[in-house]
Amino acid sequence: MLLGPPLLAALLAAAVKPYRRFVGWTNALLSLVSLGAAVVLWRHVLAGDVLTSGPVEFLRADALSTLLALCVSVVGGLAAWLGPGMGGDDGYDGAQARRFRIFGNLFTLMMLFAVVSNNVGFMWIAIEATTITSAMLIPLHVTKASVEASWKYILIGSVGIALAFGGTVLGYFDFVNLAGHREAALNWTVLMASAPRLHPQVIQLAFVFLLVGYGTKAGLAPMHTWLPDAHSEAPAPLSAMMSGVLLAVALYAVIRWKLVVNAAVGTGFTDELFTAMGLLSLAIGAFSLVVQRNYKRMLAYSSIEHTGLICVGLALGPLGMFASMLHLLNHALAKSAIFLLAGRVLHRYRTTEISGVSGLLTAMPWTGGVFAAGVLAVIGLPPFGLFISEFALFRAGFAAGRPWLMGLVLALLAVAFVSMIGHLNRMLYGAPAAGVRVGEGSAWPLVPLGLCMAALVVLGLTLPAPLRALLTRIVEIAGS
Amino acid sequence: MIGYALEVAQAALALLLAPGLVGLIRWMKARLQNRRGAPVLQPYWELRKLFRKEVIVSNNASWLFRATPFIVFASAVAVTFLVPILAVPLPFDGIGDLLVVVYLLLLGTFFLSLAGLDPGSPFGGMGASREMTVAALAEPTVALAIFALALSAGSTNLGQIVARTMTNPGAALSPGHLLAFGALFIVTLAETGRLPIDNPATHLELTMIHEAMVLEYSGRYLALIEWAAAVKLLIFFSLLGNLFVPWGVSMALTPATLAIAVASLLAKLVILAGVVAVLETRIAKLRLFRVPELLSVSFVLALLAVTSSFLLR
Amino acid sequence: MDSVFSQLCVLGSSLALITGLILLWRRGVTAYISAFTWQSRAITVVTVVVAYFGPDHELYWVAGALFILKGVVIPRLLKQMERRFAAERELDPYVNTATSLVISGLLVLFGYAITRPLVALSHLPTRAGMPLAMGLVLVSLFVIISRKKALTQVIGFLMLENGLALLAVLGTYGIPLIVELGVFLDVLMGFLVMQIFIYQIHETFESIDVEQLSNLRH
């Protein structure tokens, strides 16, 4: 039920040769079906049972999978509703819209497949497929910049994924040598069960490969160089999906393996690696934000910064895990919404330079307002959800006895805060640039984005009980 | 006693065969190029002619210029005492292992380069600097390649290496051996001044490496140097043959095995001469800045050979 | 360690590594494509040897897929690209040839060092070739970083995948068949996308020199 709709939508888009608007609408409706299935899954997980299906427990959805499935289906739905080809003037012609619908849906399908697959080999295949499908969409408008961005993305992404494959092979090797038999050896449940008996050095080597490999896809420094280019040159709905959930899915893969390694050699090894790479990503993201002149690249560097923050949280024990997962959800919502808003701004102003965008509040008041709310959310101001998750992260850090680390993180977040507020101010106020049409245009796409902001506010004020239960279950999985 | 006599006989045989080897390669090349070619014994007649000719020495030359031919010839002859050409083990094995051989060869190259610089001629200086470029990469490769063999044999003593390979035939096909053979073959071409690194038959000074260094020599000095170069060629060929395909080398010092040893040595020399002749006919000389690339390839091959042998002990 | 099986595997792996070094030594695209083809063939032979001696009959299928995909299909596609881009030789890479070769020797040593726990752990007779496969992986990474032509980078990536496939075969007699087939499909798709992009780069930039791709900074 979860995986069906995107596949159907992709096939439909492929079948309808000159693009018709009903394809877009069907796509949007099908994405709601996926979302519904994810919610049903949530209820099952809260009730305590873990759904599996297929021979040899091929598909398996526990709490961690559910959280990510939720994120992916929400953002996929947003992209489906607000993507090209829904009618109206959005700057894309029929062929481009068709291409977006085909590959975008395949992209969503592969992400969902990655998070519900029990077999780490298939998880790898799915994530490699996400690289390929998303790369096909980056140069939707063929320009020098988008070609450059897509080349960097496919090359660095493929190399990273290949290294992750190396790590998977090494992990498989370790298991086979200790356990002897090979059927179902790539199932995550089997790996977890035999984790304490795995040879420490081999699994550590495997984890290094996996962290570097999947970390490349997640945007961890120093493998992040493709990210600002790809996220800024891609069309807005694709950027939303990539920044919001592709990074999350890559982190999901890292977390799955982290759980295996922690069961094998304890948490010290992975904690050090996560702290180091997380801090590096935070630092690079924060300092790059200061000199930004392009608002889409600004948002991309902010993604790098948040990924770094999530990684630091993962190194802080069970409280940190809770905080990181909450942050993952919040970030997915906020970042995808704001990228879609950036798309609207780009469509109106025809430039991605911050200096070219001025007077957003006067030209497009509603969009400007929601955009401001989004940026404030992303830099971690209350009353939005990210403030709560960052606060939880600090609490975890102090509880784990790492005050200096938290101080450093706070300083870096402050740097990012100041830079982005400055850029936002430049964009919101002042007179609109010449030749820019004043007035909102069609306002209905703002409705789902406004809903996202509202959800973030809700998450900032309270933590709904079902969500808390889900996150607690995830922490239990990590602890066991 | 017999051992020492054998050593002397081995050295004498090397000295005797060396010019013939050079003549053989030249003759094979000529035949491959559809020419009749000079007879195989031609280098002997050339040496005899040179010994009878007058020596002309430049006014700027010092004692180094006169001493070098003797030093080069002596080092070449010394190496023939230490390399397993005919039999194993030999009494001088105690002082002659891999590193001594490499250093003796380098000693000759070093003095020859100095002698090229000594008379102050521009071509001599050019040849000397080129030779040093080649030697800088080639000498470590020789050491590494033979070291790879030494690792699997457990000692750097050349006689022991041969003995160990003879008692363990399977090891001859191991990757360490094959890679070391490749590396050593490329280095042989470099050290003895063969194509694609240096053309021994060229008459254009700007393309010379070895010939440019000896341009100023004449008479018996030139004869000694040419003979030493031929002996170096024979030494490298016998290293290639006897270290990697050691069957035929005599382990006991009886006349029958020695006869077989001589015969197998001749066979290996002829085969290697054929290979080099075909190679020289087929490929062109590399441009000078490409030579370090080729030598780096051989260095990496030797490095791979060492690591292969190390892990497969 | 002396058995024929072990020797053959190590020979095949050495051949794969040496053909990888050709990418650092030669300059023309034709040489790179031949090196890749020979490397894929060497790895296919190693897979067949492991399938025969293992015995593990699934590996025959894997060997067949490897040969068809990387020995026939991809080289044919590469030759098509070569016809258009052969004039672009790797004349001025970021690291020159001699230094690249020495660095690759050091990388192979490093590969030996990090696979020591693997070799110590394994009981299979093929374990001696694993360091060579890891060396190939590291050398391919170096090729991707230090070369300027997009086509060379793609061939480096293909060799990286080859090295990992070899590691899988030598370490665990291959991974489960379904996963292996999925991996092959992914590699083929990835290569096709890269091919499309190289053509796009050529059209927009009039060359496939990735140094020209430097418009996006900060």
Side-chain angles (χ1 to χ4, degrees), chain A residues 10-26:
Chain A
L11 288 172
L12 185 62
V16 178
K17 194 54 194 292
Y19 179 78
R20 300 252 185 275
R21 212 185 297 176
F22 79 88
V23 176
W25 284 98
T26 330

Side-chain angles (χ1 to χ4, degrees), chain B residues 175 179 290 293 300 307 311, chain C residues 10 18 27 98 101 108-109 112:
Chain B
L179 288 170
R290 302 265 257 148
E293 291 175 8
V300 171
T307 43
L311 264 183
Chain C
V10 175
I18 292 177
R27 290 194 165 108
L101 284 167
V108 173
L109 280 175
Y112 267 98

Side-chain angles (χ1 to χ4, degrees), chain A residues 235-259:
Chain A
L238 184 68
S239 300
M241 282 205 278
M242 282 169 69
S243 231
V245 286
L246 185 56
L247 304 188
V249 171
L251 279 174
Y252 163 84
V254 174
I255 293 174
R256 284 278 179 209
W257 279 102
K258 163 190 187 294
L259 297 177

Side-chain angles (χ1 to χ4, degrees), chain A residues 168-189:
Chain A
T168 313
V169 166
L170 287 174
Y172 178 65
F173 166 82
D174 199 358
F175 174 80
V176 166
N177 267 296
L178 255 89
H181 68 99
R182 294 165 47 205
E183 309 84 47
L186 278 177
N187 278 4
W188 183 77
T189 39

Side-chain angles (χ1 to χ4, degrees), chain B residues 207-270:
Chain B
T207 62
M208 293 176 178
I209 299 181
H210 182 262
E211 318 298 323
M213 288 191 294
V214 302
L215 215 51
E216 292 283 323
Y217 277 108
S218 51
R220 59 179 184 276
Y221 292 161
L222 185 58
L224 283 176
I225 292 185
E226 292 287 332
W227 205 349
V231 171
K232 204 168 159 186
L233 182 65
L234 187 128
I235 290 171
F236 270 105
F237 274 11
S238 50
L239 273 178
L240 274 175
N242 286 344
L243 283 179
F244 293 95
V245 190
W247 295 278
V249 175
S250 124
M251 297 274 274
L253 298 179
T254 64
T257 55
L258 281 176
I260 298 179
V262 172
S264 76
L265 177 71
L266 286 174
K268 288 173 195 168
L269 288 178
V270 168

